[in-house]
Amino acid sequence: MSLGLEIEKDFVQTSERVKSVDLHPTKPWILTSLHSGSVCIWDYESQKLEKSFTVTGSPVRSAKFIVRKNWIVVGSDDAFIRVYDCETMEVIKEFEAHSDYIRGLAVHPSLPYVLSSSDDKLIKIWDWEKGWICTRVFEGHDHYVMQLAFNPKDLNTFASASLDGTIKIWNVDSPNPIFTLDAHAKGINCIDYFISGDELYLISGSDDYTAKVWDYKSKTCVQTLEGHAHNVTAVHVHPELPIIITCSEDETVRLWDKANYRLENTMNYGLQRVWTVGYRKNSKQFVFGCDKGTIMVKITSSKGSDAANLKQE
């Protein structure tokens, strides 16, 4: 049975290449970081640019809201982490965090921690209540570390994805990985956790053009999602909608049924390569960052309790 997905465009904005997106949980804000070195906040309700500023002359590959502090944290190719006040855009803190490009940032949901990953093959954890000191370095990957994700069932653990083809699972209190998955034959660009039923899973996206779903407990691959014609750059599994989202350099976003892994929809909005996906908690809103700009869509399903009748665009 089809999920009966309906997709409605909420916001489209052309720009230079978008490398990361984040959605504010309470304000109608889309945070984007650009390959040009700038950061923008768009108001998707008014369809206007709220704030914009230049961070550095090199690409900004990751920018995240730290909502409880009203901050933005940014990681860039000049190896610096910078922290800004959301309202004034004043620099709260800036420091050299790595010896190479910063690829990914992850904000801990409750503790004062930010994880960073880099082309120097290292992961570091920073404590903002201790003046942004590095409290631990995680070593073990043999290539660039592309993305990080905290475990929703155990916030003391997190996953890392690397171009060495492995996923590593770590505890924030130990420098050594808990375990390693030899996950893909080529580099891994993205990682996400999700819960289905009561079971915990991981999903990874790779330069081998596939995404793979992993049973966390048994450490086995339960499904390979095939169909993209180029590198898979971003993955996301919605906590409420029954869908898996994959993005690719083939310029498409694909939606898969989380229950049976069937391809439900392929979207191409003409903004060229798709690099990143973000979503707003407790909503059906998703944002995609592409070579030529940003698009927000609302995705609903007629299956089960998520009945809706929105016009497909």
Side-chain angles (χ1 to χ4, degrees), residues 186 189 206-211 225-233 246-254 256 263 266-268 273-274:
K186 291 188 177 181
N189 299 306
S206 169
D207 288 346
D208 65 10
Y209 302 1
T210 72
L225 304 180
E226 298 179 289
H228 280 295
H230 214 302
N231 303 339
V232 178
T233 52
T246 59
C247 308
S248 172
E249 289 185 51
D250 68 9
E251 305 183 11
T252 71
V253 175
R254 292 180 178 236
W256 313 76
L263 179 64
T266 300
M267 301 181 292
N268 186 332
R273 293 174 294 182
V274 188

Side-chain angles (χ1 to χ4, degrees), residues 133-200:
I133 65 167
C134 178
T135 57
R136 195 169 305 281
V137 178
F138 305 89
E139 298 184 63
H141 280 297
D142 296 325
H143 210 314
Y144 306 161
V145 187
M146 301 296 284
Q147 198 172 47
L148 306 157
F150 280 105
N151 179 348
K153 279 198 163 188
D154 178 4
L155 293 175
N156 287 321
T157 61
F158 66 92
S160 58
S162 170
L163 292 190
D164 64 13
T166 70
I167 299 164
K168 291 184 183 290
I169 308 300
W170 312 80
N171 189 293
V172 295
D173 296 320
S174 171
N176 302 310
I178 301 168
F179 65 85
T180 299
L181 295 174
D182 291 317
H184 291 265
K186 291 188 177 181
I188 306 172
N189 299 306
C190 45
I191 190 80
D192 194 19
Y193 283 95
F194 69 98
I195 298 167
S196 184
D198 290 328
E199 299 303 315
L200 186 64

Side-chain angles (χ1 to χ4, degrees), residues 5 8 18 37 70 80-81 85 110 121 134 166 175 191 207 220 230 234 236 308:
L5 296 178
E8 182 180 39
V18 178
N70 207 27
F80 273 71
I81 287 175
D85 182 283
S110 56
K121 307 174 189 177
C134 178
T166 70
I191 190 80
D207 288 346
T220 57
H230 214 302
H236 174 67

Side-chain angles (χ1 to χ4, degrees), residues 198-267:
D198 290 328
E199 299 303 315
L200 186 64
Y201 294 87
L202 286 161
I203 182 168
S204 55
S206 169
D207 288 346
D208 65 10
Y209 302 1
T210 72
K212 292 187 177 183
V213 179
W214 302 87
D215 183 298
Y216 189 82
K217 187 183 294 183
S218 67
K219 306 178 180 64
T220 57
C221 177
V222 296
Q223 187 70 34
T224 299
L225 304 180
E226 298 179 289
H228 280 295
H230 214 302
N231 303 339
V232 178
T233 52
V235 291
H236 174 67
V237 183
H238 196 273
E240 295 150 16
L241 284 171
I243 57 171
I244 295 170
I245 296 174
T246 59
C247 308
S248 172
E249 289 185 51
D250 68 9
E251 305 183 11
T252 71
V253 175
R254 292 180 178 236
L255 308 180
W256 313 76
D257 188 320
K258 187 166 71 173
N260 58 28
Y261 306 112
R262 181 178 57 216
L263 179 64
E264 287 285 326
N265 202 309
T266 300
M267 301 181 292

